[in-house]
Amino acid sequence: MATRNYAQEYANYDGTPAVKKKRAERNKARRMLEREGVVHKGDGKDVDHKTPLSKGGTTTRSNLRAAPASKNRSYPRKADGSMK
């Protein structure tokens, strides 16, 4: 069994500017709802964008909601990870 090369994964994907920007938007959304007390670390909830970022949504309070992780991660996705 081959071992996973995390440094190479970061260099080829996770460290690219586009992926860093997406991650920063997700982290910003989580921090916004944590400050309001809607979500907490380890509570099993995800911060859901009502209009997904991949469909032109923004990280504004009016576009965010807390959803159970099982619900938020169950949407059908395209090969690139964006929502269908």
Side-chain angles (χ1 to χ4, degrees):
M1 188 165 157
T3 58
R4 192 166 172 180
N5 188 339
Y6 291 100
Q8 185 179 16
E9 280 183 32
Y10 186 81
N12 293 336
Y13 179 73
D14 293 328
T16 60
V19 175
K20 283 183 177 181
K21 185 176 179 182
K22 288 179 188 177
R23 185 170 54 243
E25 286 295 315
R26 290 191 307 267
N27 290 340
K28 177 183 174 185
R30 179 84 189 180
R31 282 192 312 272
M32 287 172 70
L33 293 190
E34 281 179 346
R35 275 190 226 115
E36 291 181 17
V38 177
V39 296
H40 305 284
K41 187 173 183 178
D43 64 2
K45 294 181 184 175
D46 280 355
V47 174
D48 179 33
H49 288 80
K50 295 174 188 176
T51 303
L53 297 174
S54 63
K55 299 281 186 185
T58 59
T59 302
T60 57
R61 181 58 185 102
S62 61
N63 191 40
L64 299 176
R65 63 183 169 200
S70 59
K71 170 72 174 144
N72 191 42
R73 299 177 192 187
S74 64
Y75 296 111
R77 308 246 178 216
K78 296 179 187 174
D80 66 358
S82 64
M83 294 182 60
K84 289 186 177 180

